[in-house]
Amino acid sequence: MEQQGPAEPRVVVTGLGMVSAAGPDVGSAWQLIREGRSALAPVELFDSAPYGGALSGEALHLERERGEDRSLQLLRLASAELLADSGWGEEQRGADTGVVLGTCQGAIENAKGIHRSFSSRPHTAPTSEDRRAFAEYRPGFGTQFLADRLGAEGPRSTVGMVCVSSSVAIIHALDLLRRGAARRIVAGGFESFSQFVFSGFHCIGALATGRLRPFDEQRDGTVLGEAAVLLTLERLEDAEARGAHIYAEVLGGGYAADAFHMTAPDPEGGGLERAIRHAFADSGLGTDDVDYVCAHGTGTVFNDGMECATFGRLFAERAASGTMPAISSMKSVFGHTLGAAGALDAVASVLALDRGMLPPSVALEQPIADWDFVCGTGRDCNGELKIALSTNSAFGGNNSALLLARIQRGAQG
Amino acid sequence: MTSDRVVVTGFGVASPFGLGIDALYDGMLAGQSMVGELPSPRSALAPGYGGLVTLKASAIRGLPNSRDMRPGTMTRYTFLSTLALGNAMEHGDCPWDDGDGALRRGFYVASYTNSDRFDKYVRFAHHVIDQDQDRPFINDSEVPQAIRKFSGFEFLKLMNNMPTAHGGIQGRCQGPCNTFLGTPSGGAQAIGRSLAAIRDGLADTMYAGGVGSSAHDHMMMVRATRGLNSSAEVAPVQAGRPFDRGATGIVPGEGSAVLVLERESTARARGAKIYAELAGYGEWFAPPATREGVQPGPEATIRSMAAALKMAGADSGDVDVVAVHGESRNDLDALEASALAESLGSRVSEVPVMALAAHVGSVEAAVGPMGAALVLQALETGKVPGALNRQDPLPEYQGPTSSESVTMDARLGVVSLTTREGVSSALVFRKLEN
């Protein structure tokens, strides 16, 4: 990275939309975070007894509808909240508005539907339900669907990087805004809970036998969830001109690969460290500036160990002086939402900055390092929380980092 | 931001003609189509023909840094992507064991999806008949048993970032890596965003490309329900008919291509052969047509090409050769032809238009990168293939229709894509004086 210091134009977050296991909106998610409660519950979508029983982060408040893929149902609701929260009108429709989304498997449940009609009878005429399911199946459809709902005719792109998909989508959106490709972009991610993906995680032994316990000595796996999480990013000058509420500024981002193993992370976290250093270079910040790390924290032995190795090296001086930034993971509240996870962590960070409260990890009882892990309930920061670092890592050795900053009330800009 | 130009120092291709640009280009110069009958059980699905890459898994073995690559852990998309990247590394004589050089190298690749093996999962999960509706459906209670017949790799290899993950290891790319999904324009987007990544100082070298495998059950079913497949009633070699009134639909195909992009200074420092400058990129977006149909007009394609030419400091009068999507369905081809006519103006009748679909079928997100490889080869050799299966052109198409290849002093080539998803993109390559 050659760039140093904040880039122009400055980009801020002016709207949020989120549907998750916690509830149908951002408010219900923040309430759970503040109270340090978990939304994880026994699997409802299918009988999990053959798997030995398990928890999930399903959006149980949201009835499953026939006739629309679950992931699109989540996206539709999140987009309605986003539109209202962003205060958009007709003037925000058109070619200056873009959509960049990340997803792991898109409308994966539709893939089962694909074979319902064809595997046994390949030459029968497709039904209208078939046509709908097939049209929605490809991973890029969610982006198209959302752009259609928002009237967004600007840049569209879909990122498929598993667990870093939506954080990389936010970084791409930041890049597009900086180079003037659009004035505002809705960025984020979506993922529905599916038996197929659950089964896959089960067969690789990545699921928790009980609670999801990020950064805990007793952690033994993750719990899968579902969510659609959206953020409105726009240029600071535009946000100020229209009097929008500014949640936070996006200072910079970075991503980098391990090139180590196609599924296992580099145990030393070399790729994650490079991603964070890229984000520092992009924003002009350094390790001393970070007040809070919203870590990936999946609760698996390998991921959390890799992250701690990275943080220990990156923040070595602060660890030695007992001034480590506060660290927590949102997975124990919402489950691992895969393609939506990066955006969910970004929203948690944005809300933490906006409301001056550190989000806790739930079920963290025996931390694996003697650092400032936030646990219990939300921790009031008395205005000391200024910079948040949100990090994510994925199968395949892909890593991302976002740096977000609080905007001073009455002194925006 | 760097003032260095970004240049192409290698390009790799895997196509039904074989491995490497020469196999593809020679086949196209000879006017050949590699679309043929599909082997069983694929032939059970209409149209029953397509352009398959027939390279064996062992083809990977001889490629740079590929000794440990395991095709058994790859989907078709990942396998084809790996072939093209390895071929590009070989073509560009690219270093991979250069220590910290890996930190300044990235890989952007596009694929429509990566779920070609989903059929295997479904077979394991057993179909049962819903008596009320007389329709087969998946018995969810069998899924736990079914998934146990998957190994962990069987599941993980379906993740959409696996082409990137394998490529990152193969090319030793520890810089920015990304996967673009869901549109045939994705490959051109991957190249365009790689240009930006180098110019912004994120990397010195980017591998960038795309992969398509539209000849497996999954995608053939997807298209069949939307009525997009070509007719089973036509001869396979005549099925791919870009811009021709006789086109009946999308022809299943396979392919992949990867470009090696470098800062000019980096390329010259290592004595690399420079094929061309990647001088411009443009993308534009039509209002999304979410479920059926195509974008309302050609404006997005016109604007994307204009933006790319502007970035390159060129205009339509400089364009010597074009590679396009040419989907082989009249509705989208008419839009693309209209955009070409508007963009090229009075020169539209003389600028050769290369369209892969006639030779290998639909290659999805690889169409941009493979088109780029064709343009680069045209700039390099001065030969351009003639038009195949374009005897009865659409009224909107005003370009050349001759099947004869032409020889020309090509200096500037454009890749221009119009897509059903409303995402248009364009790349401009300029030959450099060495």
Side-chain angles (χ1 to χ4, degrees):
Chain A
M1 294 283 291
E2 293 172 345
Q3 186 179 327
Q4 294 291 328
E8 294 289 344
R10 294 170 66 182
V11 172
V12 293
V13 180
T14 57
L16 303 173
M18 176 170 167
V19 179
S20 69
D25 51 28
V26 171
S28 53
W30 182 245
Q31 183 174 348
L32 224 64
I33 291 173
R34 281 179 53 203
E35 295 171 357
R37 291 193 291 124
S38 172
L40 306 184
V43 172
E44 289 267 331
L45 177 62
F46 50 86
D47 178 12
S48 66
Y51 302 91
L55 299 177
S56 68
E58 293 172 73
L60 298 174
H61 53 86
L62 191 60
E63 192 173 331
R64 285 183 178 268
E65 291 182 2
R66 288 180 66 87
E68 184 176 53
D69 186 81
R70 177 70 163 179
S71 63
L72 300 181
Q73 192 185 355
L74 297 169
L75 260 183
R76 185 164 46 77
L77 284 174
S79 67
E81 185 186 21
L82 177 99
L83 272 174
D85 192 47
S86 301
W88 280 7
E90 278 300 312
E91 63 271 27
Q92 276 77 32
R93 301 172 72 90
D96 280 336
T97 302
V99 175
V100 185
L101 291 184
T103 186
C104 179
Q105 289 296 329
I108 188 69
E109 283 297 288
N110 270 350
K112 289 204 294 189
I114 283 171
H115 290 263
R116 287 177 182 159
S117 297
F118 270 80
S119 292
S120 302
R121 300 183 296 179
H123 298 296
T124 53
T127 64
S128 59
E129 185 185 341
D130 291 334
R131 278 193 287 273
R132 176 196 57 74
F134 281 70
E136 293 173 359
Y137 155 67
R138 64 193 160 74
F141 184 82
T143 304
Q144 219 168 317
F145 173 83
L146 184 61
D148 189 34
R149 288 192 64 78
L150 300 176
E153 298 175 10
R156 292 198 294 275
S157 193
T158 307
V159 175
M161 294 294 281
V162 201
C163 312
V164 302
S165 297
S166 50
S167 42
V168 171
I170 293 169
I171 295 168
H172 266 294
L174 175 64
D175 179 54
L176 288 167
L177 288 165
R178 283 175 174 173
R179 62 181 71 251
R183 296 184 80 97
R184 63 198 74 82
I185 294 181
V186 173
F190 64 102
E191 203 73 51
S192 60
F193 181 71
S194 83
Q195 189 177 7
F196 172 67
V197 176
F198 178 94
S199 301
F201 270 73
H202 181 263
C203 80
I204 60 174
L207 294 177
T209 56
R211 292 192 297 171
L212 195 168
R213 308 163 76 99
F215 303 114
D216 193 286
E217 290 284 6
Q218 303 302 316
R219 71 193 185 282
D220 69 348
T222 199
V223 170
L224 297 177
E226 64 182 353
V229 186
L230 304 172
L231 302 91
T232 296
L233 307 185
E234 64 182 308
R235 307 194 307 192
L236 174 62
E237 62 186 88
D238 290 346
E240 288 182 328
R242 69 183 184 91
H245 172 71
I246 298 175
Y247 285 93
E249 180 173 2
V250 187
L251 292 177
Y255 53 101
D258 288 345
F260 173 78
H261 187 271
M262 72 180 220
T263 53
D266 171 2
E268 296 303 316
L272 178 58
E273 181 178 346
R274 286 190 293 280
I276 296 170
R277 291 197 184 282
H278 285 328
F280 282 145
D282 190 35
S283 60
L285 300 180
T287 53
D288 287 346
D289 298 309
V290 177
D291 300 310
Y292 166 61
V293 180
C294 189
H296 195 48
T298 60
T300 64
V301 171
F302 289 118
N303 176 82
D304 293 8
M306 176 276 289
E307 281 192 282
C308 283
T310 305
F311 297 150
R313 202 166 54 247
L314 198 64
F315 296 106
E317 290 182 18
R318 294 183 62 176
S321 61
T323 58
M324 278 290 276
I327 300 172
S328 66
S329 161
M330 294 300 96
K331 303 291 186 294
S332 50
V333 179
F334 302 98
H336 190 348
T337 56
L338 303 176
L344 194 154
D345 292 342
V347 166
S349 301
V350 162
L351 291 171
L353 292 163
D354 185 61
R355 298 173 187 189
M357 178 172 283
L358 288 170
S361 293
V362 179
L364 174 55
E365 293 165 358
Q366 295 175 260
I368 55 177
D370 185 21
W371 297 338
D372 184 14
F373 288 104
V374 187
C375 45
T377 58
R379 185 195 298 169
D380 196 328
C381 305
N382 298 318
E384 294 301 309
L385 178 56
K386 296 189 177 91
I387 304 287
L389 168 67
S390 181
T391 62
N392 297 97
S393 298
F395 286 131
N398 299 115
N399 308 275
S400 65
L402 273 171
L403 278 160
L404 301 145
R406 187 180 65 181
I407 290 275
Q408 295 289 340
R409 294 284 183 270
Q412 292 178 356
Chain B
M1 182 172 295
T2 175
S3 58
D4 250 355
R5 291 185 289 198
V6 174
V7 296
V8 182
T9 55
F11 43 106
V13 175
S15 76
F17 288 97
L19 192 61
I21 184 62
D22 289 342
L24 171 64
Y25 211 68
D26 290 349
M28 289 179 65
L29 285 169
Q32 295 175 349
S33 167
M34 292 299 284
V35 177
E37 300 288 337
L38 295 177
S40 180
R42 297 188 207 220
S43 57
L45 292 168
Y49 55 75
L52 288 184
V53 174
T54 56
L55 293 161
K56 304 288 187 211
S58 58
I60 284 181
R61 293 281 174 262
L63 298 172
N65 198 30
S66 299
R67 190 182 308 164
D68 296 329
M69 304 304 289
R70 295 178 183 165
T73 64
M74 301 174 184
T75 62
R76 192 72 179 158
Y77 290 90
T78 305
F79 174 63
L80 294 173
S81 167
T82 301
L83 285 173
L85 175 57
N87 185 241
M89 291 166 65
E90 192 169 60
H91 191 244
D93 193 20
C94 298
W96 52 268
D97 55 349
D98 53 347
D100 286 348
L103 302 175
R104 302 287 303 162
R105 198 158 47 232
F107 182 36
Y108 286 175
V109 67
S111 65
Y112 209 75
T113 174
N114 187 32
S115 297
D116 62 335
R117 303 300 305 279
F118 199 78
D119 55 337
K120 184 175 177 182
Y121 159 79
V122 173
R123 277 201 299 275
F124 282 149
H126 300 290
H127 288 80
V128 295
I129 299 295
D130 180 333
Q131 298 297 339
D132 293 337
Q133 299 184 40
D134 189 29
R135 290 164 59 82
F137 69 100
I138 294 165
N139 183 354
D140 285 341
S141 67
E142 296 288 345
V143 171
Q145 292 299 325
I147 203 74
R148 284 189 187 124
K149 295 173 186 172
F150 263 40
S151 69
F153 278 127
E154 292 274 9
F155 167 70
L156 290 168
K157 69 186 178 185
L158 296 177
M159 298 291 108
N160 284 317
N161 69 332
M162 280 300 130
T164 313
H166 282 267
I169 295 168
Q170 182 185 20
R172 289 209 67 242
C173 303
Q174 295 184 322
C177 291
N178 200 356
T179 310
F180 297 85
L181 296 175
T183 163
S185 256
Q189 284 187 309
I191 294 170
R193 303 278 163 85
S194 293
L195 173 66
I198 295 175
R199 286 183 170 173
D200 288 350
L202 294 172
D204 295 328
T205 302
M206 291 293 297
Y207 299 129
V211 56
S213 177
S214 69
H216 58 80
D217 286 4
H218 213 50
M219 285 309 296
M220 286 163 72
M221 289 177 188
V222 168
R223 288 193 304 274
T225 51
R226 301 176 70 192
L228 298 177
N229 278 328
S230 55
S231 167
E233 306 303 317
V234 298
V237 295
Q238 294 173 7
R241 309 189 71 82
F243 308 112
D244 190 272
R245 290 177 201 261
T248 59
I250 297 172
V251 176
E254 287 189 328
S256 58
V258 171
L259 309 187
V260 182
L261 304 174
E262 295 185 65
R263 289 173 192 271
E264 183 178 5
S265 58
T266 308
R268 295 205 184 278
R270 74 178 182 90
K273 175 178 171 63
I274 293 174
Y275 289 92
E277 176 192 9
L278 173 53
Y281 173 67
E283 58 184 25
W284 207 267
F285 303 84
T290 50
R291 294 175 196 276
E292 301 294 342
V294 294
Q295 51 190 283
E299 287 75 20
T301 304
I302 294 167
R303 287 180 179 228
S304 67
M305 197 196 292
L309 286 169
K310 183 180 177 186
M311 184 188 286
D315 60 40
S316 58
D318 299 320
V319 178
D320 295 313
V321 61
V322 179
V324 297
H325 186 189
E327 190 190 48
S328 193
R329 267 186 63 87
N330 283 173
D331 55 356
L332 195 68
D333 285 358
L335 279 183
E336 189 156 43
S338 297
L340 278 177
E342 176 71 21
S343 298
L344 296 176
S346 60
R347 298 191 59 241
V348 67
S349 61
E350 61 193 67
V351 177
V353 177
M354 296 185 282
L356 277 163
H359 302 269
V360 300
S362 167
V363 291
E364 301 174 335
V367 70
M370 289 178 76
L374 298 181
V375 164
L376 289 161
Q377 191 74 348
L379 298 182
E380 179 70 9
T381 64
K383 295 178 189 169
V384 183
L388 182 64
N389 298 337
R390 218 178 296 173
Q391 296 91 341
D392 185 14
L394 293 168
E396 293 84 357
Y397 180 78
Q398 298 170 35
T401 57
S402 169
S403 60
E404 297 297 316
S405 61
V406 295
T407 300
M408 63 193 308
D409 181 23
R411 317 298 298 173
L412 191 127
V414 171
V415 178
S416 174
L417 304 179
T418 307
T419 68
R420 198 158 287 280
E421 292 76 11
V423 181
S424 294
S425 52
L427 298 157
V428 176
F429 296 92
R430 179 188 285 120
K431 192 169 184 177
L432 293 180
E433 303 300 333
N434 281 309

